[in-house]
């Protein structure tokens, strides 16, 4: 299932409003039950983010080819990875 423009805008709004110590995963899972939503520390992700927001980098997850990988293409995205950045980085 591809991520639509409206969904991406809403996801970015939620993440932009999230405080540094917040965990928006539950809210995003509730709003977008068809998407896989995962959170990790940004230091563990080497791929370039789809979007960078104040406290999180947003990565898109592609699972179309059996293995999960990061994609820049919303049409291939089946989920999102929230990479939490530390303040002062």
């Amino acid at each position: 299932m591809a991520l639509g423009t409206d969904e991406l805008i809403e996801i970015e709004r939620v993440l932009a409003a999230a405080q540094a110590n917040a965990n928006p995963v539950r809210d995003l899972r509730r709003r977008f039950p068809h998407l896989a939503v995962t959170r990790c520390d940004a230091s563990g992700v080497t791929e370039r983010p789809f979007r960078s927001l104040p406290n999180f980098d947003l990565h898109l997850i592609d699972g179309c080819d059996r293995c999960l990988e990061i994609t820049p293409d919303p049409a291939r995205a089946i989920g999102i990875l929230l990479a939490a950045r530390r303040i002062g980085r």
Side-chain angles (χ1 to χ4, degrees):
M1 171 161 261
L3 267 171
T5 303
D6 291 342
E7 289 176 310
L8 284 169
I9 290 169
E10 184 62 23
I11 290 167
E12 290 177 30
R13 283 184 185 147
V14 169
L15 295 177
Q19 299 298 317
N21 60 352
N23 188 355
V25 171
R26 185 178 357 183
D27 186 31
L28 289 169
R29 284 181 179 157
R30 182 183 52 79
R31 291 181 191 209
F32 306 100
H34 60 285
L35 293 178
V37 181
T38 305
R39 179 183 170 171
C40 69
D41 189 85
S43 65
V45 184
T46 58
E47 290 85 359
R48 184 180 197 98
F50 179 75
R51 295 277 189 274
S52 288
L53 298 132
N55 297 306
F56 296 94
D57 287 333
L58 173 62
H59 298 271
L60 306 180
I61 300 171
D62 176 356
C64 298
D65 296 326
R66 291 189 170 186
C67 294
L68 297 177
E69 62 184 11
I70 303 295
T71 181
D73 185 359
R76 294 186 58 88
I78 63 163
I80 57 175
L81 172 64
L82 309 179
R85 282 189 272 113
R86 297 176 196 199
I87 295 179
R89 282 178 109 187

